[in-house]
Amino acid sequence: MIKALNLDKIGITASTACAIHCALLPFVLTLLPLWGLDFLANPATEIFMILLSLILGTWSLGKSYKKVHHRVLPIIILILGFMCIVTGHFSGITVMEPILIPAGGFAIASAHFLNLKLARTCTHN
């Protein structure tokens, strides 16, 4: 029997991968072409990872909020995470980018983790 996909676990993985990608990219940027991984420095890859995290987060946390635990904290953490990412990408302050974007990715992963924990401890479902 195939288990249903757990969107929070996928969201944790996607958000953490995004945070690690953004944190390490400045350090390994010059080595990527040597390893055949230059596509990781492509802005389209970054936008894809952000959109994937946004879709998974909105879907998973929204569904759990409405149907399971009715707690708003995971959604607030998700929003703060995306605010960090958007600020890091579009503020024009390049010094803040390597700090805000990984912090936002880890905040999104934390929102999924909290959502998963709340859904598991919910007794009325």
Side-chain angles (χ1 to χ4, degrees):
M1 177 189 280
I2 299 174
K3 285 187 172 184
L5 290 176
N6 188 316
L7 295 178
D8 284 317
K9 289 181 181 179
I10 295 170
I12 290 168
T13 303
S15 300
T16 302
C18 180
I20 291 169
H21 166 264
C22 292
L24 292 180
L25 191 62
F27 300 109
V28 297
L29 192 61
T30 57
L31 299 174
L32 291 177
L34 295 173
W35 296 332
L37 300 174
D38 50 337
F39 70 93
L40 291 174
N42 188 333
T45 302
E46 292 181 19
I47 296 299
F48 173 77
M49 292 175 95
I50 292 168
L51 288 176
L52 177 64
S53 293
L54 178 63
I55 291 167
L56 287 171
T58 303
W59 186 9
S60 177
L61 274 64
K63 183 178 169 185
S64 292
Y65 173 79
K66 286 167 55 174
K67 294 184 179 182
V68 183
H69 56 71
H70 310 293
R71 303 259 176 96
V72 74
L73 184 59
I75 295 171
I76 291 171
I77 295 170
L78 181 80
I79 292 168
L80 291 173
F82 279 110
M83 287 174 60
C84 285
I85 290 173
V86 168
T87 302
H89 268 289
F90 301 112
S91 69
I93 305 170
T94 56
V95 173
M96 294 302 293
E97 186 175 348
I99 297 166
L100 287 175
I101 295 173
F106 285 123
I108 294 167
S110 298
H112 281 287
F113 181 77
L114 179 60
N115 190 56
L116 186 62
K117 184 177 175 182
L118 289 172
R120 285 186 177 166
T121 60
C122 193
T123 58
H124 71 275
N125 233 4

